[in-house]
Amino acid sequence: MRVLVTGGAGFLGSHLCDRLIAEGHEVICLDSLLTGRADNIAHLQRHPRFTFIQHDITHPFFIAERVDWVLHFASPASPKDYGAHPIHTLKVGALGTYHMLGLAKAHGAKFLLASTSEVYGDPEVHPQPESYWGHVNPIGERSCYDEAKRFAEALTMAYWRQHGIDVRIIRIFNTVGPRMRIDDGRVFPNFITQALKGEPLTVYGDGSQTRSFCYVDDLIEGVMQVMAWTPPEGADELARVFNLGNPEEVTILELAHLVKEVTGSRSPIVFRPLPKDDPKQRRPDITKAKNFLGWQPRTSLREAVERTLPYFRHMLGLSEQKGGN
């Protein structure tokens, strides 16, 4: 198949490009490189089935060649990034999704929206099933990302209802692994970077808030399973939405101690005020993915930390023996 991946030079997008190339598909990677990195796809640039196009999808885009799948992963995704680019984040969720749905419609392609657990906001239901509508502040500091993704979901389903586009939506919970930006501001890269550099690990609030962390290889397998799945005849819109994440829930303080243990760091843990609208709990209900796709994560959080460490050591210019002590 010929597959177009937006945000293909980003953390998740680049791993998705790898998987698609490995399975024999042709990949067209679109990325503005606002938050993506050319280094993430450097190893693919000379591959005969890989094409990189630097393009901002808030502007129209069309390709004449056949496209079988459109996988829409483009968006700033960390609070640091969408906090710095709030209007652009909203435009990517609105205009970018509109342009990519139009492309899918023109080619009769399957369309996948990479949405987020942030559509659930600070949830009042725990764990969060796909049927939960969320508890979101529409005018808060995080709303540029939350509402961009909620609008993108609404637009995706409108194209399904009005134009019959074959769509799927995945709500991605925290995913970790190599190629995360060490400075993207999220807790997992923050802790590993701080531990390896021997700096204090910064915990916001008292550290009792919970998260769940899915290793990137497990997440990409889930994406492929979603794309291979065919919704039952007559199924409603909810049948096309899947949570993808790891239900292994830990507190932020537990994560800090785990990172210290795995890295061998003697860094202290320091506490800072909790950011506004920071969710208190975040854990996916993946019952649907288990039942319909036969998918569930295989990698534990400890394994995820261990597998990510070599990449962070490399990015920080540290040897295996150095860092954290």
Side-chain angles (χ1 to χ4, degrees):
M1 294 184 299
R2 182 179 287 119
V3 183
L4 186 143
V5 181
T6 73
F11 164 48
L12 293 180
S14 62
H15 283 280
L16 183 56
C17 289
D18 283 345
R19 175 66 181 267
L20 291 164
I21 290 291
E23 293 199 357
H25 305 303
E26 183 177 341
V27 174
I28 302 164
C29 168
L30 257 62
D31 203 298
S32 70
L33 300 181
L34 177 67
T35 59
R37 298 175 64 249
D39 286 351
N40 288 341
I41 53 170
H43 61 290
L44 294 174
Q45 289 285 18
R46 295 182 179 228
H47 197 286
R49 286 185 278 106
F50 181 81
T51 302
F52 172 64
I53 301 173
Q54 187 169 348
H55 180 78
D56 180 350
I57 61 166
T58 65
H59 301 291
F61 177 82
F62 186 76
I63 189 166
E65 294 90 345
R66 183 194 86 250
V67 175
D68 300 295
W69 290 0
V70 176
L71 308 181
H72 180 27
F73 276 73
S75 178
S78 77
K80 178 181 176 181
D81 288 337
Y82 58 69
H85 306 284
I87 295 173
H88 185 76
T89 300
L90 285 158
K91 289 172 71 175
V92 170
L95 295 174
T97 304
Y98 172 69
H99 292 146
M100 291 303 105
L101 280 164
L103 185 71
K105 177 175 177 284
H107 287 283
K110 281 185 183 180
F111 178 87
L112 175 99
L113 172 66
S115 187
T116 171
S117 61
E118 294 291 339
V119 300
Y120 298 125
D122 188 3
E124 296 175 315
V125 171
H126 190 74
Q128 295 83 56
E130 291 87 348
S131 57
Y132 178 51
W133 290 357
H135 179 229
V136 178
N137 178 357
I139 59 172
E141 294 175 1
R142 303 169 71 101
S143 64
C144 61
Y145 184 61
D146 303 351
E147 298 296 0
K149 290 297 190 180
R150 287 163 70 93
F151 177 85
E153 289 197 13
L155 187 60
T156 297
M157 298 316 299
Y159 265 74
W160 170 67
R161 294 186 184 97
Q162 186 166 336
H163 298 301
I165 304 299
D166 188 359
V167 302
R168 289 126 171 79
I169 294 170
I170 54 172
R171 292 177 180 157
I172 300 172
F173 285 69
N174 291 51
T175 304
V176 298
R179 299 184 196 160
M180 295 190 85
R181 291 204 343 262
I182 63 176
D183 63 346
D184 85 348
R186 283 180 279 195
V187 64
F188 191 88
N190 277 359
F191 282 175
I192 293 181
T193 299
Q194 290 166 342
L196 290 177
K197 293 172 72 175
E199 298 174 349
L201 274 63
T202 307
V203 171
Y204 294 96
D206 63 4
S208 63
Q209 65 271 37
T210 66
R211 296 292 184 271
S212 57
F213 299 92
C214 184
Y215 189 63
V216 62
D217 290 354
D218 291 334
L219 189 284
I220 297 303
E221 175 62 27
V223 173
M224 300 304 291
Q225 293 289 342
V226 169
M227 291 305 292
W229 178 74
T230 301
E233 188 71 30
D236 66 10
E237 61 269 17
L238 197 58
R240 296 175 176 271
V241 182
F242 287 93
N243 286 336
L244 294 183
N246 193 327
E248 180 187 356
E249 185 180 11
V250 297
T251 69
I252 296 302
L253 195 55
E254 287 172 338
L255 175 64
H257 286 295
L258 176 62
V259 169
K260 278 171 55 73
E261 179 185 338
V262 174
T263 60
S265 172
R266 293 196 291 267
S267 295
I269 296 173
V270 298
F271 296 86
R272 297 287 183 266
L274 192 67
K276 190 176 181 182
D277 297 329
D278 191 60
K280 299 178 188 67
Q281 290 181 302
R282 188 59 61 76
R283 176 188 169 197
D285 182 335
I286 61 169
T287 303
K288 274 187 64 181
K290 285 182 178 179
N291 291 345
F292 289 95
L293 309 176
W295 175 87
Q296 62 181 342
R298 306 293 182 187
T299 310
S300 71
L301 180 55
R302 176 178 290 272
E303 290 175 301
V305 175
E306 292 170 345
R307 293 184 188 183
T308 306
L309 275 179
Y311 176 80
F312 275 71
R313 284 196 174 101
H314 171 73
M315 295 302 292
L316 292 168
L318 301 173
S319 69
E320 278 297 309
Q321 289 75 34
K322 291 183 180 179
N325 294 313

